[in-house]
Amino acid sequence: MDFTFTEEQQAAVEAARAVFADVAPDGVPSPALTPGAVADDFDRPLWAKLAASDLLSLVLAEEHGGAGLDTVALCLVLREAARVLARVPLLEHCATAMAVQAHGSPELAAALLPGAGRGTLVLTAAAHGRSGHDPAELAVIARREGEAWILEGTQTAVPWAHSADWIAVPAHTGEGEAVLAFVPRAAEGLALAEQVSTNGERLAELALDGVRVDGAHLIDTPGAWERLRQVLATGTCALALGLGENVLAMTGRYTGKREQFGFPVATFQAVAVQAADRYIDLRAMEVTLWQAAWRLDAATGGAGGPLPSSGDVAVAKIWASEGVRRVVQTAQHLHGGFGADTDYPLHRYHAWAKQLELQLGPAAAHEEALGDLLAAHPLA
């Protein structure tokens, strides 16, 4: 097997590193010192740079002005974004654009994709349902009314909703079907309530009261919402990996300089063992991430496997949710009191790691889902 990335994927990484090179994690007030959101909007100048570097159109086909790359390429760029805590809706925007490209009507694709690729139009997705624990598609009811659909329900913790132009809202029809409706932020009947994430970013609770959606702006293709949900989850794992790798690098630099009894603390066996354990966590997070991303792309191409791609995504989520927590906890421990200093960036990474862990959900839930898949799809 060849595990190397393609030239196009490596080029995307190089472009991302160039764009993120000047991004400072402390570009906004500290979430530890801010009672509300750290900022009202995402980093628009950085967004413009991503658009100028063609990274927002990375996963779009050439007919829509994109490079035609895949989920692996997107995760590579997200990994770089997380290293610097980039405050942009890159994951939600690109994943939603992928759903429109794969399953949307020609009218929907024409309305959203050109602007999405240029960055003049921002997309996001509501993926957390009413509470963050229930399936998101059950939080909203969609009923047909002539050529249109009417949406009723609530979605919580929608990222970047206050800044997005269009929001992808999963819903159910009452007949066991999950559909994906695309709602403009200014739609009549849509109300946004202020919420704040653990890392101090603006979220929104969406209340949909008779929101009318044109039939061309709704995707009812079987599996479309599940595919988008899996891309969002896998992308979140990529963010956790990039964040964790940078935190471990910060810890290595600090313990290499910090001395006790005349020696760098990095030379102490207890410190070295803890750092080595976290390195193992990161390598496990990495291999399960690329397996999940590859399976998502392979499934799109018609390639199958002993388990559905949701099994690979579940494994990646298990390692990412547990691994990112262990990495930042060990980093805080090895930094001592310095890790809590709000003039030092580690506390920001800790807050972001906790937010990603909450987004991914508990490992036990993913282990249970994986067990159900194994029971339904015997490997022998």
Side-chain angles (χ1 to χ4, degrees), residues 46-58:
L46 177 58
W47 189 252
K49 291 180 181 179
L50 288 168
S53 299
D54 296 326
L55 290 173
L56 298 183
S57 59
L58 190 72

PDB file of all heavy atoms in Angstrom, residues 46-58:
ATOM      1  N   LEU A  46      -8.421  36.800   6.952  1.00  0.00           N
ATOM      2  CA  LEU A  46      -7.884  35.457   6.699  1.00  0.00           C
ATOM      3  C   LEU A  46      -8.760  34.729   5.689  1.00  0.00           C
ATOM      4  O   LEU A  46      -8.250  34.010   4.821  1.00  0.00           O
ATOM      5  CB  LEU A  46      -7.813  34.670   8.010  1.00  0.00           C
ATOM      6  CG  LEU A  46      -7.341  33.220   7.902  1.00  0.00           C
ATOM      7  CD1 LEU A  46      -5.960  33.132   7.265  1.00  0.00           C
ATOM      8  CD2 LEU A  46      -7.341  32.558   9.275  1.00  0.00           C
ATOM      9  N   TRP A  47     -10.061  34.918   5.790  1.00  0.00           N
ATOM     10  CA  TRP A  47     -10.999  34.299   4.840  1.00  0.00           C
ATOM     11  C   TRP A  47     -10.685  34.759   3.418  1.00  0.00           C
ATOM     12  O   TRP A  47     -10.688  33.955   2.474  1.00  0.00           O
ATOM     13  CB  TRP A  47     -12.424  34.676   5.230  1.00  0.00           C
ATOM     14  CG  TRP A  47     -13.512  33.963   4.498  1.00  0.00           C
ATOM     15  CD1 TRP A  47     -14.347  34.487   3.550  1.00  0.00           C
ATOM     16  CD2 TRP A  47     -13.927  32.603   4.659  1.00  0.00           C
ATOM     17  NE1 TRP A  47     -15.241  33.544   3.122  1.00  0.00           N
ATOM     18  CE2 TRP A  47     -14.999  32.377   3.786  1.00  0.00           C
ATOM     19  CE3 TRP A  47     -13.476  31.558   5.474  1.00  0.00           C
ATOM     20  CZ2 TRP A  47     -15.647  31.144   3.710  1.00  0.00           C
ATOM     21  CZ3 TRP A  47     -14.120  30.322   5.381  1.00  0.00           C
ATOM     22  CH2 TRP A  47     -15.184  30.131   4.509  1.00  0.00           C
ATOM     23  N   ALA A  48     -10.396  36.042   3.262  1.00  0.00           N
ATOM     24  CA  ALA A  48     -10.066  36.575   1.942  1.00  0.00           C
ATOM     25  C   ALA A  48      -8.778  35.952   1.414  1.00  0.00           C
ATOM     26  O   ALA A  48      -8.651  35.668   0.211  1.00  0.00           O
ATOM     27  CB  ALA A  48      -9.942  38.096   2.014  1.00  0.00           C
ATOM     28  N   LYS A  49      -7.801  35.737   2.298  1.00  0.00           N
ATOM     29  CA  LYS A  49      -6.558  35.101   1.878  1.00  0.00           C
ATOM     30  C   LYS A  49      -6.799  33.650   1.459  1.00  0.00           C
ATOM     31  O   LYS A  49      -6.200  33.174   0.488  1.00  0.00           O
ATOM     32  CB  LYS A  49      -5.535  35.149   3.014  1.00  0.00           C
ATOM     33  CG  LYS A  49      -5.006  36.538   3.318  1.00  0.00           C
ATOM     34  CD  LYS A  49      -3.989  36.493   4.459  1.00  0.00           C
ATOM     35  CE  LYS A  49      -3.457  37.875   4.793  1.00  0.00           C
ATOM     36  NZ  LYS A  49      -2.494  37.838   5.917  1.00  0.00           N
ATOM     37  N   LEU A  50      -7.655  32.952   2.168  1.00  0.00           N
ATOM     38  CA  LEU A  50      -7.981  31.573   1.795  1.00  0.00           C
ATOM     39  C   LEU A  50      -8.648  31.533   0.423  1.00  0.00           C
ATOM     40  O   LEU A  50      -8.365  30.659  -0.402  1.00  0.00           O
ATOM     41  CB  LEU A  50      -8.906  30.954   2.843  1.00  0.00           C
ATOM     42  CG  LEU A  50      -8.275  30.613   4.193  1.00  0.00           C
ATOM     43  CD1 LEU A  50      -9.353  30.282   5.225  1.00  0.00           C
ATOM     44  CD2 LEU A  50      -7.312  29.449   4.069  1.00  0.00           C
ATOM     45  N   ALA A  51      -9.530  32.486   0.180  1.00  0.00           N
ATOM     46  CA  ALA A  51     -10.194  32.554  -1.121  1.00  0.00           C
ATOM     47  C   ALA A  51      -9.192  32.870  -2.225  1.00  0.00           C
ATOM     48  O   ALA A  51      -9.217  32.254  -3.299  1.00  0.00           O
ATOM     49  CB  ALA A  51     -11.302  33.605  -1.083  1.00  0.00           C
ATOM     50  N   ALA A  52      -8.294  33.815  -1.963  1.00  0.00           N
ATOM     51  CA  ALA A  52      -7.297  34.204  -2.972  1.00  0.00           C
ATOM     52  C   ALA A  52      -6.341  33.058  -3.294  1.00  0.00           C
ATOM     53  O   ALA A  52      -5.805  32.984  -4.407  1.00  0.00           O
ATOM     54  CB  ALA A  52      -6.516  35.428  -2.489  1.00  0.00           C
ATOM     55  N   SER A  53      -6.138  32.156  -2.318  1.00  0.00           N
ATOM     56  CA  SER A  53      -5.253  30.999  -2.526  1.00  0.00           C
ATOM     57  C   SER A  53      -6.003  29.793  -3.068  1.00  0.00           C
ATOM     58  O   SER A  53      -5.434  28.699  -3.147  1.00  0.00           O
ATOM     59  CB  SER A  53      -4.573  30.634  -1.209  1.00  0.00           C
ATOM     60  OG  SER A  53      -3.783  31.703  -0.731  1.00  0.00           O
ATOM     61  N   ASP A  54      -7.269  29.981  -3.405  1.00  0.00           N
ATOM     62  CA  ASP A  54      -8.117  28.913  -3.961  1.00  0.00           C
ATOM     63  C   ASP A  54      -8.343  27.765  -2.987  1.00  0.00           C
ATOM     64  O   ASP A  54      -8.656  26.638  -3.406  1.00  0.00           O
ATOM     65  CB  ASP A  54      -7.530  28.359  -5.266  1.00  0.00           C
ATOM     66  CG  ASP A  54      -7.486  29.392  -6.380  1.00  0.00           C
ATOM     67  OD1 ASP A  54      -8.400  30.242  -6.423  1.00  0.00           O
ATOM     68  OD2 ASP A  54      -6.554  29.364  -7.196  1.00  0.00           O
ATOM     69  N   LEU A  55      -8.215  28.016  -1.694  1.00  0.00           N
ATOM     70  CA  LEU A  55      -8.426  26.953  -0.713  1.00  0.00           C
ATOM     71  C   LEU A  55      -9.893  26.787  -0.356  1.00  0.00           C
ATOM     72  O   LEU A  55     -10.284  25.737   0.158  1.00  0.00           O
ATOM     73  CB  LEU A  55      -7.600  27.231   0.548  1.00  0.00           C
ATOM     74  CG  LEU A  55      -6.087  27.075   0.353  1.00  0.00           C
ATOM     75  CD1 LEU A  55      -5.333  27.538   1.591  1.00  0.00           C
ATOM     76  CD2 LEU A  55      -5.727  25.619   0.036  1.00  0.00           C
ATOM     77  N   LEU A  56     -10.720  27.799  -0.613  1.00  0.00           N
ATOM     78  CA  LEU A  56     -12.159  27.656  -0.359  1.00  0.00           C
ATOM     79  C   LEU A  56     -12.845  26.859  -1.466  1.00  0.00           C
ATOM     80  O   LEU A  56     -13.932  26.312  -1.262  1.00  0.00           O
ATOM     81  CB  LEU A  56     -12.816  29.036  -0.225  1.00  0.00           C
ATOM     82  CG  LEU A  56     -12.317  29.904   0.931  1.00  0.00           C
ATOM     83  CD1 LEU A  56     -13.090  31.205   0.990  1.00  0.00           C
ATOM     84  CD2 LEU A  56     -12.415  29.156   2.258  1.00  0.00           C
ATOM     85  N   SER A  57     -12.221  26.803  -2.630  1.00  0.00           N
ATOM     86  CA  SER A  57     -12.783  26.031  -3.746  1.00  0.00           C
ATOM     87  C   SER A  57     -12.053  24.699  -3.926  1.00  0.00           C
ATOM     88  O   SER A  57     -12.223  24.020  -4.947  1.00  0.00           O
ATOM     89  CB  SER A  57     -12.686  26.844  -5.046  1.00  0.00           C
ATOM     90  OG  SER A  57     -11.333  27.170  -5.332  1.00  0.00           O
ATOM     91  N   LEU A  58     -11.277  24.322  -2.934  1.00  0.00           N
ATOM     92  CA  LEU A  58     -10.424  23.138  -3.028  1.00  0.00           C
ATOM     93  C   LEU A  58     -11.195  21.881  -3.426  1.00  0.00           C
ATOM     94  O   LEU A  58     -10.745  21.099  -4.262  1.00  0.00           O
ATOM     95  CB  LEU A  58      -9.739  22.919  -1.675  1.00  0.00           C
ATOM     96  CG  LEU A  58      -8.624  21.886  -1.596  1.00  0.00           C
ATOM     97  CD1 LEU A  58      -7.392  22.411  -2.309  1.00  0.00           C
ATOM     98  CD2 LEU A  58      -8.304  21.580  -0.137  1.00  0.00           C
TER      99      LEU A  58
END
